[in-house]
Amino acid sequence: MQTHGPKRIYTPQSLEFWFARMEVEWEEQFDAAQVERGHDMYRAGEVREVALGANDAIIHRKVEKREEYAVIEWEGDRIKVRSSSTDLLLAHAIAVAGLHEIEELLVDEMAALLPGAAKEGSTTNGNGLSAAPAPSAAANGDTVTPGAPKPDAPPRDLLLSFTANSDGLVFVAYWKSGRNRIPALGNAASHPAAAERAKLIALATYARKAHFRYNQATHAYALEALADIPGFLRDLLPHWKKQFAIELDAKVTIIKQGARAIEIEAVADRRGDAGLNLRWIFRAGEKLLTEEQAAALLAHGRSPMLLADVGIVTLTPEKLEGYHQWQRNLADTAAAGEIPPYLVFSLFNDHRLKVTLGPEIEAWRQKVLTPPVAPPELPDYLRNYQRRGVEWMHHLCETECHGLLADEMGLGKTAQVIALLRARPLPKHRHVVVCPASVVPVWREELARFHPEAKVDVLKSGNDFKTNKAPCIWLASYTQLRKHRALLDTTEFGYAVLDEGQFIKNPDAKVTQACFAIKTRHRLVLTGTPLENRQLDLWSIFRYLLPGLLGSRASFEAALVQDRERTMQRLRQQVAPFILRRTKTEVATELPPKVEMDLLCPLTEVQRTEYARICTEGLARLGEDISLALREKSFGFLALLTRLRQVCCDPDLLPWMNSPLADSGKLQLLVEKLSEVVASGHKVVIFSQFVTLLNRVRTALVQHYPDLPRYEITGMTVDRQKPVKDFQAAAGAAAMLVSLKAAGTGITLHAADYVFLLDPWWNPAVEDQAIDRVHRIGQTNTVFVYRMVTAGTIEERIQTLKGEKKQLFNQVVGHHSGDFEWTKHFSSLHSLIQLSAVESGEAELLNAAVASTPLGPALPATLAPAEPQPAAPATS
């Protein structure tokens, strides 16, 4: 029968012996390396001769001119290998290759033993000699036992009955005897004839090559690799049917369709007047999985799985993670088993999981999205856009939602909230307004003005929620709320309003955690700058407003890392129903224009020399790698930037300098520009991050404009309202000096129409807060804003960054924000801080200054900044 391959030598007796032996899973007796190398030998055709003896086999291998052999012997059910090679791996690999050749020999010879062969039992050995048929058990004198065929009976058919279960594709072998079925494997009472034994040997060979594994306990074969099952049923099973009777149950028929993708659907409906009722449906096409099947699938994980009555199913990692994210989100959000209805808007349910809404919850969702209806009796003082803001907040309260009023500064967010409290009172409840300490007096004045009948109390030591339980409006600074955190667990409010909500942008801060702990029916956040530095600012605000809407913090940040653009797009859609943002240009058409421009300031020789020296010293300490400096020397990096910004403003700000006013090009230009402003009788507001720079400005004003009224507000100012009122009421020209840290909240300076920003700051939102103290409702003149930027320095690069920092807020809310990475904008530290030419012909002079300037007095080892950064007041 064989026309190629190794030479085969055998006798009928040796075939009979090897037929019986090869039923076992012999590969399990070799280690993985031996099996792998043996497979390579077998595929490469390195076996030259197979000689079968009555109880052993000799395998000859020849590669080039080198020959080895291995002797395979049986000791019970165990294989013993002897070899001419002392290499144990090689010896056993030869045996593995030889056993595969023996399997091929047995399969080939089986055809001659099956009924219908040209000459039953005839075979051909490796020499082409005819071999007599293998004797049956009965022919050798054995007793025929029940279940065994009679000696002269024809061979029985071998039936393979296939089904599918958790082990994969499984079949059991039976002998068919009329209508009876007799187990063919593991049946001690069955003694197959030689021809039947040949079928079993063939079955074992076929099964092994198709990757079925035999189970000694169940006496069944299983194909566990689910990815191989459809291919087996399609390509190999037709060949098996030529040798065996095949029986397939309905479960196997389903498997033929291949793997089916599982869809996960969340079915949401309203649970009476309470929360959300959420059911999960797992679907394979039109087939719904049972709860047990769904649980098994989730426990199984991401790889394909075989489910009875369903077939092979797959659940993509994306859908699986989406489901688990929902579960984590619900566990963190639901209180006492109640799921808030607003979670149907969740950011993480729109692309990984399908959501079906019942009629009640769909009607509720449409109500949320429907434009609000005007509430009754809104006060007359409201402008049209303010009325719409009150209507919007009223609508959210009526639909059990909470909102962020993100109107630009100066558009009257406080007045809108007070109007809401009047139009939708909760008379039996206490309310709380949380705001910066500097804004508490503003709220008192505004409540007295617009809601005089309201009872107002201020949270402080000795006067708290426990001592006064009467309905009123509590005014609490963020610091006092944090100090009274323990009382929040037992206190419930009607309305809880966070003014200047960017104070809770850090979710880890204690003051933020205190705000999260507030128990209230309605939550509102007011801020004109909800994104000051990063998207997590907005996550923290919505963690307070609508817990769970944006998922967990970890999943929110992970989504931004994985697909920032897509996440930002979903984020815009997600928060849209709960954010109201108007800008002055959109709604306050009565406001005069605002003209903004940069004033490029020259460097004096002293400034140029110190700037170059600080650059040289900083690069020597920190190196060129910005990322490395931020990771390992972040304090020194930020201190270097502060020193450079200080010398750009005034070298006298440096602790080792004692400079006259003439050494500051910026102060000289400011004095020059103020001459026209003061002479024309205009009021001017001058902002700076550095209080010491404001002190220098005061000295310059005294020197050059001794009769000009001057007012100041810094972080040390206790009563901020007095200088504000005096400045607003002053006749003619006047100057207000304000630190950026103190300027962001709670003051109105619209009597001025000129603004000077002495030192640009990374975050345009901080500057906007300052400018909007002047350009706000009540302003009647065009406002001129001058940013004083020292040319050719780090200040110019800050201005460049600002244009890119505005993009984040525009994407999500509609205005400014701040979120950038140093390495996105600068390839090295030198490219960030270098002193560059600013006028034609100056390049050589500036480069020479950098290269030749002596180091002078060394910078402190810590490069400690002189003053704290003012991006936002402390929140913890």
Side-chain angles (χ1 to χ4, degrees):
M1 296 176 62
Q2 182 196 20
T3 59
H4 62 280
K7 181 178 180 181
R8 295 171 171 177
I9 301 173
Y10 56 92
T11 65
Q13 290 76 19
S14 64
L15 281 178
E16 176 73 13
F17 173 82
W18 284 95
F19 276 149
R21 289 297 182 183
M22 294 298 285
E23 292 184 24
V24 303
E25 294 286 341
W26 55 264
E27 277 193 356
E28 296 178 355
Q29 301 188 37
F30 298 89
D31 64 33
Q34 295 165 354
V35 170
E36 182 178 0
R37 188 166 180 185
H39 287 175
D40 292 341
M41 287 183 186
Y42 170 68
R43 286 190 291 265
E46 296 179 10
V47 176
R48 295 305 185 206
E49 182 178 292
V50 176
L52 299 186
N55 57 11
D56 61 13
I58 303 175
I59 312 300
H60 293 265
R61 169 183 179 261
K62 183 176 182 181
V63 177
E64 296 179 350
K65 296 183 178 180
R66 189 179 61 210
E67 293 191 28
E68 290 102 4
Y69 69 87
V71 179
I72 304 173
E73 297 176 310
W74 290 89
E75 293 183 351
D77 288 333
R78 305 298 299 174
I79 291 175
K80 180 180 179 182
V81 177
R82 295 183 287 112
S83 176
S84 61
S85 173
T86 58
D87 184 337
L88 186 63
L89 172 61
L90 176 62
H92 285 79
I94 295 172
V96 170
L99 288 166
H100 279 297
E101 293 290 355
I102 293 172
E103 284 186 337
E104 274 201 21
L105 167 61
L106 295 176
V107 171
D108 289 342
E109 294 303 315
M110 184 198 70
L113 298 175
L114 295 176
K119 184 178 180 182
E120 182 178 351
S122 66
T123 185
T124 307
N125 63 21
N127 294 320
L129 300 176
S130 177
S136 67
N140 285 327
D142 291 344
T143 302
V144 179
T145 58
K150 296 180 180 179
D152 56 349
R156 295 168 292 181
D157 289 334
L158 187 58
L159 170 67
L160 309 183
S161 179
F162 283 84
T163 188
N165 58 32
S166 58
D167 293 330
L169 181 64
V170 178
F171 73 82
V172 177
Y174 298 98
W175 295 117
K176 288 186 66 176
S177 179
R179 294 184 178 181
N180 297 325
R181 295 185 180 188
I182 302 171
L185 301 173
N187 185 358
S190 176
H191 292 270
E196 293 174 342
R197 190 173 301 150
K199 292 184 180 183
L200 295 179
I201 295 298
L203 175 61
T205 304
Y206 276 41
R208 184 178 294 112
K209 290 186 176 181
H211 306 296
F212 280 85
R213 295 180 63 84
Y214 182 69
N215 188 316
Q216 297 284 354
T218 62
H219 306 298
Y221 278 94
L223 179 56
E224 298 172 353
L226 300 186
D228 294 343
I229 293 177
F232 168 79
L233 295 174
R234 181 183 62 251
D235 302 327
L236 297 181
L237 189 61
H239 297 286
W240 284 39
K241 289 181 178 180
K242 297 178 182 178
Q243 303 292 347
F244 315 107
I246 302 295
E247 178 181 82
L248 306 177
D249 68 7
K251 297 177 183 178
V252 178
T253 304
I254 296 175
I255 295 177
K256 286 185 177 181
Q257 302 172 8
R260 308 171 72 184
I262 293 293
E263 297 294 332
I264 303 179
E265 180 179 351
V267 179
D269 212 331
R270 201 64 185 268
R271 181 184 293 168
D273 294 331
L276 196 67
N277 182 32
L278 195 61
R279 295 181 296 109
W280 295 98
I281 293 177
F282 293 77
R283 186 192 308 272
E286 297 301 318
K287 180 72 173 179
L288 298 182
L289 272 59
T290 65
E291 292 184 5
E292 293 77 11
Q293 290 172 332
L297 178 65
L298 292 171
H300 185 70
R302 300 177 179 180
S303 58
M305 182 180 184
L306 181 58
L307 295 176
D309 303 321
V310 180
I312 300 174
V313 296
T314 59
L315 183 58
T316 65
E318 185 180 49
K319 286 184 170 57
L320 182 62
E321 176 56 29
Y323 171 82
H324 286 313
Q325 171 57 42
W326 254 99
Q327 294 301 310
R328 291 191 296 268
N329 196 19
L330 293 176
D332 293 340
T333 305
E338 182 177 311
I339 303 173
Y342 60 74
L343 283 187
V344 298
F345 290 97
S346 176
L347 168 66
F348 298 102
N349 72 358
D350 62 337
H351 74 289
R352 295 183 290 192
L353 307 175
K354 180 181 178 182
V355 176
T356 299
L357 303 182
E360 288 188 23
I361 197 66
E362 175 61 24
W364 173 86
R365 190 179 75 92
Q366 291 302 326
K367 183 179 178 181
V368 172
L369 299 175
T370 301
V373 178
E377 300 179 8
L378 289 183
D380 295 334
Y381 65 77
L382 293 174
R383 292 176 168 84
N384 287 334
Y385 74 88
Q386 292 175 328
R387 293 180 66 89
R388 290 192 295 272
V390 179
E391 292 168 3
W392 176 78
M393 291 186 288
H394 188 283
H395 176 70
L396 287 184
C397 292
E398 291 294 311
T399 54
E400 307 169 66
C401 293
H402 316 279
L404 167 61
L405 183 59
D407 284 349
E408 193 173 27
M409 288 163 287
L411 293 183
K413 294 187 289 292
T414 302
Q416 294 176 64
V417 171
I418 293 174
L420 174 68
L421 297 179
R422 287 183 55 179
R424 193 177 183 275
L426 300 175
K428 296 182 180 180
H429 290 79
R430 290 180 287 179
H431 315 305
V432 62
V433 176
V434 188
C435 59
S438 59
V439 185
V440 170
V442 177
W443 271 94
R444 285 195 83 130
E445 291 182 5
E446 295 291 283
L447 283 167
R449 177 184 176 189
F450 296 121
H451 196 7
E453 65 276 16
K455 295 180 180 179
V456 180
D457 208 344
V458 177
L459 180 66
K460 56 187 175 181
S461 180
N463 187 46
D464 54 40
F465 310 131
K466 190 174 182 180
T467 59
N468 179 10
K469 298 184 178 181
C472 67
I473 299 175
W474 280 96
L475 301 180
S477 71
Y478 283 99
T479 301
Q480 286 296 328
L481 187 76
R482 174 176 58 81
K483 290 180 178 179
H484 292 82
R485 163 66 181 85
L487 299 179
L488 295 176
D489 293 332
T490 57
T491 307
E492 294 189 6
F493 300 98
Y495 292 97
V497 181
L498 302 188
D499 192 11
E500 302 298 341
Q502 68 273 13
F503 270 65
I504 66 166
K505 64 184 180 181
N506 178 6
D508 297 322
K510 291 182 179 180
V511 68
T512 305
Q513 295 296 321
C515 291
F516 289 169
I518 295 175
K519 296 179 179 179
T520 183
R521 289 182 60 181
H522 304 294
R523 293 185 287 271
L524 293 169
V525 171
L526 313 180
T527 177
T529 55
L531 289 177
E532 280 201 342
N533 293 296
R534 51 182 179 162
Q535 293 94 337
L536 190 61
D537 299 355
L538 193 67
W539 180 89
S540 187
I541 288 175
F542 273 90
R543 167 62 181 82
Y544 166 77
L545 285 173
L546 301 160
L549 180 72
L550 302 186
S552 68
R553 175 180 176 179
S555 62
F556 181 83
E557 293 179 318
L560 286 170
V561 172
Q562 294 169 4
D563 191 343
R564 184 185 184 87
E565 183 176 349
R566 186 176 179 181
T567 300
M568 294 297 292
Q569 181 181 0
R570 293 200 309 268
L571 181 58
R572 286 195 300 272
Q573 299 170 350
Q574 195 61 39
V575 301
F578 312 107
I579 289 184
L580 182 62
R581 168 75 173 180
R582 280 84 58 86
T583 64
K584 295 171 186 173
T585 56
E586 294 170 344
V587 297
T589 55
E590 70 273 24
L591 268 179
K594 177 177 61 177
V595 179
E596 301 183 57
M597 63 197 78
D598 291 346
L599 279 180
L600 291 182
C601 306
L603 283 169
T604 65
E605 288 300 322
V606 173
Q607 285 176 292
R608 184 179 290 111
T609 299
E610 281 303 303
Y611 191 99
R613 188 193 65 76
I614 293 171
C615 281
T616 303
E617 176 72 13
L619 289 171
R621 288 181 179 273
L622 303 176
E624 285 283 1
D625 192 326
I626 292 182
S627 298
L628 184 63
L630 281 171
R631 285 196 309 270
E632 299 183 0
K633 304 174 183 178
S634 59
F635 188 76
F637 175 82
L638 296 175
L640 171 63
L641 302 189
T642 300
R643 294 301 186 207
L644 292 175
R645 295 177 61 230
Q646 287 175 325
V647 75
C648 287
C649 293
D650 180 2
D652 192 66
L653 301 186
L654 299 171
W656 58 85
M657 297 292 291
N658 185 12
S659 299
L661 293 173
D663 284 346
S664 170
K666 188 171 288 190
L667 288 180
Q668 292 182 52
L669 184 60
L670 174 66
V671 169
E672 176 187 332
K673 291 296 181 182
L674 286 178
S675 62
E676 182 178 349
V677 174
V678 172
S680 302
H682 293 281
K683 288 185 173 67
V684 60
V685 180
I686 301 170
F687 292 104
S688 175
Q689 173 196 354
F690 303 108
V691 174
T692 50
L693 181 59
L694 294 176
N695 294 336
R696 295 277 284 177
V697 172
R698 184 200 314 124
T699 301
L701 293 179
V702 170
Q703 185 179 117
H704 292 276
Y705 307 103
D707 298 328
L708 179 68
R710 298 178 307 278
Y711 307 91
E712 296 182 28
I713 298 178
T714 68
M716 301 301 292
T717 304
V718 178
D719 183 3
R720 305 197 316 164
Q721 295 306 309
K722 185 179 187 308
V724 169
K725 289 179 180 179
D726 292 345
F727 175 78
Q728 291 283 88
M736 173 70 82
L737 310 184
V738 189
S739 71
L740 275 176
K741 184 173 183 179
T745 58
I747 60 175
T748 296
L749 301 171
H750 55 50
D753 49 5
Y754 280 83
V755 175
F756 285 85
L757 296 165
L758 294 185
D759 43 289
W761 182 239
W762 305 110
N763 196 336
V766 176
E767 289 184 358
D768 287 349
Q769 284 180 317
I771 295 169
D772 284 335
R773 301 303 102 198
V774 176
H775 191 249
R776 61 195 296 116
I777 299 298
Q779 178 60 259
T780 58
N781 300 317
T782 299
V783 176
F784 294 91
V785 179
Y786 297 94
R787 290 181 174 86
M788 305 193 73
V789 180
T790 305
T793 68
I794 189 174
E795 288 192 341
E796 270 200 317
R797 295 174 191 106
I798 292 175
Q799 290 302 100
T800 302
L801 280 178
K802 285 181 181 177
E804 301 184 27
K805 282 167 61 60
K806 292 180 181 180
Q807 295 177 2
L808 172 64
F809 197 106
N810 289 332
Q811 288 177 344
V812 179
V813 180
H815 197 50
H816 299 333
S817 76
D819 184 28
F820 65 91
E821 297 175 7
W822 294 101
T823 53
K824 286 184 178 179
H825 305 276
F826 302 102
S827 59
S828 66
L829 182 57
H830 184 265
S831 66
L832 169 64
I833 66 175
Q834 63 180 330
L835 188 62
S836 59
V838 295
E839 295 177 9
S840 177
E842 274 196 90
E844 294 183 5
L845 176 62
L846 293 174
N847 290 334
V850 173
S852 61
T853 300
L855 291 179
L859 287 175
T862 59
L863 286 171
E867 298 186 41
Q869 300 176 3
T875 58
S876 63

